[in-house]
């Protein structure tokens, strides 16, 4: 769930790429605004995601190319829902059938 006003459209889904970075929601994963967040590769290793499952994983990006969400793994710190939020954007992933 994101604050819709803080999400720049259009959103895109793309595969994870080497060098991708994300600022995590809640600060449980390292990185901060000054250094651009933590490398996604390090997050995957910390979370013990098997090597063969790391690359090709989908990520949702905003119009600026910033990663908003890695489905099943991590939400970014961008566009948090707060008391000032008037409209939310709910992102869900469905498996292809």
């Amino acid at each position: 769930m994101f604050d819709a006003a803080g999400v720049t459209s259009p959103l895109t889904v793309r595969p994870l790429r080497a060098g991708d970075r994300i600022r995590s929601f809640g600060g449980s994963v390292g990185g901060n605004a000054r250094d651009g967040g933590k490398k996604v590769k390090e997050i995957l290793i910390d979370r013990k995601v098997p090597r063969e499952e790391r690359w090709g994983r989908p990520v949702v990006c905003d119009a600026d190319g910033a990663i908003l969400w890695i489905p099943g793994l991590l939400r970014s710190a961008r566009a948090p829902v707060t008391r000032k939020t008037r409209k939310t954007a709910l992102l869900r992933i469905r498996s292809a059938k």
Side-chain angles (χ1 to χ4, degrees), residues 15-84:
L16 188 62
R17 294 188 282 224
D20 277 343
R21 299 180 82 84
I22 188 169
R23 286 183 47 228
S24 71
F25 182 73
S28 61
V29 176
N32 59 45
R34 286 179 308 186
D35 69 4
K38 187 170 182 177
K39 286 186 179 181
V40 173
K41 177 182 176 181
E42 294 173 8
I43 295 167
L44 296 172
I45 291 168
D46 291 349
R47 297 211 176 178
K48 300 186 182 355
V49 174
R51 184 181 303 246
E52 60 275 3
E53 294 178 23
R54 292 180 197 160
W55 306 112
R57 179 180 288 268
V59 296
V60 179
C61 299
D62 66 9
D64 300 323
I67 297 174
L68 294 176
W69 182 41
I70 305 171
L73 190 66
L74 185 67
R75 181 222 192 277
S76 79
R78 288 190 106 147
V81 175
T82 66
R83 290 179 178 212
K84 295 180 180 182

